[in-house]
């Protein structure tokens, strides 16, 4: 069971995403069943990058994705591990409940939190400065800037029913995810570098 990412491919500008693609190809030669899952951005990104100001400052323009919660991915992974044979050799892109742009994500968060959340589109240079201030490594910054361009170009967009079909439950939507994590937003300060955010 290999956790990859949706932007993994040979021609990506992201060093990390290319490493994921290389790892997939190496594991394809492993003498046992291997399944690759390629999630879009995790819903947890909305926690890891939250700075407490009520603003989502990202360089994603008006492109779209369907944020997927780690808990929904876990259900898919658990189901595959329980019965790996039907999934051997497969690559599964994983998506959340609804494809949204960040204006719509901010609206969903506003409904869940009962206060205004605003999406502020920014350029790559400002995003790089934000990441540096949060203590991100050069490797992570290079990756996130590259996938931001991928995101603008639609690499992270799409929808399917694999979470329900394999994991057994409908995926959480953004409003439900934020509601489940309401305590974090109510008690939050800037928590630093995004780790494990599915970027």
């Amino acid at each position: 069971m290999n956790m990859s990412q949706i932007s993994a491919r040979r021609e990506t500008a992201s060093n990390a995403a290319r490493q994921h693609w290389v790892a997939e190809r190496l594991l394809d030669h492993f003498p046992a069943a291997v399944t690759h899952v390629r999630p879009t951005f995790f819903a947890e990104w909305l926690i890891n990058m939250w700075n407490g100001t009520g603003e989502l400052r990202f360089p994603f323009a008006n492109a779209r994705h369907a944020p997927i919660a780690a808990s929904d991915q876990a259900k898919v992974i658990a189901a595959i591990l329980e019965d790996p044979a039907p999934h051997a050799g497969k690559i599964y892109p994983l998506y959340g409940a609804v494809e949204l742009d960040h204006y719509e994500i901010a609206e969903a968060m506003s409904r869940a939190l009962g206060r205004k959340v605003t999406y502020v589109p920014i350029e790559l240079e400002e995003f790089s400065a934000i990441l540096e201030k949060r203590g991100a490594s050069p490797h992570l910054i290079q990756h996130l800037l590259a996938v931001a361009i991928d995101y603008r170009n639609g690499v992270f967009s799409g929808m399917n029913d694999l979470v329900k079909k394999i994991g057994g439950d409908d995926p959480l939507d953004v409003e439900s995810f934020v509601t489940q994590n309401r305590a974090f937003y109510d008690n939050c300060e800037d928590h630093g570098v995004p780790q494990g955010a599915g970027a």
Side-chain angles (χ1 to χ4, degrees):
M1 182 71 236
N2 176 43
M3 172 65 80
S4 186
Q5 61 182 235
I6 203 162
S7 57
R9 60 200 194 284
R10 182 197 295 270
E11 67 275 13
T12 179
S14 161
N15 295 331
R18 191 179 311 106
Q19 289 163 358
H20 274 292
W21 182 84
V22 170
E24 288 182 6
R25 304 294 69 77
L26 289 171
L27 288 168
D28 286 341
H29 296 284
F30 190 68
V34 176
T35 304
H36 308 291
V37 294
R38 290 182 176 174
T40 190
F41 271 125
F42 290 20
E44 282 74 11
W45 177 261
L46 302 173
I47 290 175
N48 295 339
M49 286 299 290
W50 181 256
N51 65 10
T53 67
E55 292 184 342
L56 304 178
R57 302 184 71 85
F58 297 134
F60 297 147
N62 60 352
R64 306 170 69 82
H65 81 293
I68 180 166
S71 58
D72 289 322
Q73 296 175 67
K75 292 174 185 177
V76 172
I77 291 166
I80 292 170
L81 292 174
E82 286 177 356
D83 185 18
H87 309 286
K90 301 289 181 62
I91 297 175
Y92 291 138
L94 297 181
Y95 305 97
V98 181
E99 190 178 73
L100 305 168
D101 64 30
H102 275 76
Y103 296 103
E104 293 166 324
I105 289 172
E107 290 172 4
M109 294 179 72
S110 297
R111 291 191 298 271
L113 296 174
R115 61 182 186 270
K116 184 66 172 175
V117 177
T118 304
Y119 172 47
V120 181
I122 60 175
E123 293 304 319
L124 295 173
E125 293 77 11
E126 182 178 347
F127 191 52
S128 180
I130 289 169
L131 294 170
E132 288 178 12
K133 183 178 178 183
R134 292 165 68 94
S137 69
H139 176 75
L140 180 58
I141 292 172
Q142 191 277 335
H143 168 62
L144 293 178
L145 294 178
V147 298
I149 296 170
D150 280 347
Y151 189 103
R152 292 176 178 181
N153 292 331
V155 172
F156 285 76
S157 65
M159 289 290 299
N160 61 34
D161 64 351
L162 290 176
V163 169
K164 177 65 178 283
K165 186 176 178 180
I166 300 173
D169 292 318
D170 290 321
L172 289 173
D173 59 24
V174 168
E175 192 167 347
S176 299
F177 174 82
V178 172
T179 298
Q180 284 189 6
N181 292 279
R182 176 71 184 262
F184 168 84
Y185 293 98
D186 287 345
N187 299 294
C188 172
E189 296 177 359
D190 192 338
H191 281 242
V193 179
Q195 299 294 336

